[in-house]
Amino acid sequence: GENVEQHPSTLSVQEGDSAVIKCTYSDSASNYFPWYKQELGKRPQLIIDIRSNVGEKKDQRIAVTLNKTAKHFSLHITETQPEDSAVYFCAASLSGGYNKLIFGAGTRLAVHP
Amino acid sequence: NAGVTQTPKFRVLKTGQSMTLLCAQDMNHEYMYWYRQDPGMGLRLIHYSVGEGTTAKGEVPDGYNVSRLKKQNFLLGLESAAPSQTSVYFCASSGQGNQPQHFGDGTRLSIL
């Protein structure tokens, strides 16, 4: 079946450093790629998304890049802050529509003051 | 505007018991989804619905049933709970087109 691989599974950075999380997807029909942030005990919350007709998207300190040829996309967080500490999930839309998503296994980001 | 609301938030069951998890959304979304989240495995789709009266199987449907009698509600049922169903269950909804999914706060379910 289709899958999304996410790396690394854990990431530890110092406050102010950049963090990069990478995902690879298998469904060539995927055209929508959201990223979710989940704090401990909370719901996943959408932080940024990108569609297949765009190569890069930025929102303040976060950016996402997409390489459709290689089937991978990445999340970049600059000037990290302790409140960025959370688990981040990438996802890719599945063929067949209805906004179905397949999620990566998650990356636990720890930002140390 | 509450978004997506899940009840209950926590529940402990004994093996073989049944229960229903309720998801309600007030965003007039057509699509609704049930996921389970297990450590190190991300979110896996159990069942989904693309409109009132419709349901479809996701990635891990075995042991679960769902119903969408009203557009705003999506119910997840466990007929005979098993320890392997211990998990955190999330409901989500989205509008038509490539719209993002919005999640509820989750239900933490333990099966003893």
Side-chain angles (χ1 to χ4, degrees):
Chain A
E2 307 299 347
N3 73 307
V4 172
E5 292 187 359
Q6 183 172 347
H7 299 282
S9 57
T10 60
L11 181 58
S12 181
V13 300
Q14 290 297 125
E15 183 176 0
D17 287 351
S18 295
V20 180
I21 303 170
K22 298 182 179 181
C23 290
T24 304
Y25 61 98
S26 61
D27 188 348
S28 56
S30 294
N31 60 5
Y32 174 64
F33 307 90
W35 285 88
Y36 286 84
K37 175 183 179 182
Q38 186 179 30
E39 297 176 353
L40 189 62
K42 301 290 183 63
R43 68 177 74 184
Q45 292 199 302
L46 179 74
I47 56 172
I48 195 167
D49 57 10
I50 192 168
R51 289 172 170 77
S52 58
N53 58 345
V54 175
E56 183 176 1
K57 183 177 179 181
K58 287 184 179 180
D59 183 3
Q60 299 183 338
R61 294 187 298 108
I62 60 174
V64 59
T65 59
L66 171 65
N67 183 329
K68 282 219 73 177
T69 302
K71 293 188 197 172
H72 65 71
F73 56 114
S74 300
L75 178 71
H76 304 253
I77 306 174
T78 59
E79 301 174 19
T80 53
Q81 301 167 3
E83 51 265 39
D84 293 330
S85 297
V87 178
Y88 291 81
F89 293 96
C90 64
S93 61
L94 287 167
S95 59
Y98 307 122
N99 300 341
K100 289 183 297 178
L101 298 173
I102 184 164
F103 285 81
T107 296
R108 183 173 301 279
L109 173 65
V111 181
H112 302 284
Chain B
N1 189 334
V4 180
T5 303
Q6 291 183 234
T7 53
K9 296 189 185 305
F10 304 95
R11 185 73 184 267
V12 178
L13 290 179
K14 293 181 180 178
T15 298
Q17 288 185 319
S18 64
M19 80 160 295
T20 300
L21 281 64
L22 172 63
C23 176
Q25 54 95 3
D26 61 5
M27 296 175 282
N28 200 34
H29 284 166
E30 287 294 329
Y31 307 151
M32 296 186 75
Y33 318 84
W34 275 108
Y35 292 91
R36 61 177 290 172
Q37 184 176 39
D38 302 294
M41 300 187 75
L43 292 145
R44 293 183 293 166
L45 184 64
I46 304 171
H47 286 280
Y48 64 100
S49 168
V50 301
E52 182 177 316
T54 76
T55 63
K57 294 180 179 180
E59 183 186 359
V60 288
D62 294 343
Y64 305 96
N65 57 76
V66 288
S67 64
R68 182 113 180 258
L69 299 179
K70 293 183 179 180
K71 184 178 182 179
Q72 63 268 34
N73 296 336
F74 194 28
L75 278 63
L76 178 71
L78 286 74
E79 291 185 346
S80 179
S84 61
Q85 294 177 304
T86 293
S87 188
V88 180
Y89 292 85
F90 284 98
C91 176
S93 71
S94 82
Q96 292 180 306
N98 258 351
Q99 296 300 312
Q101 293 186 17
H102 300 268
F103 285 82
D105 285 334
T107 295
R108 187 173 297 274
L109 183 62
S110 294
I111 316 294
L112 304 178

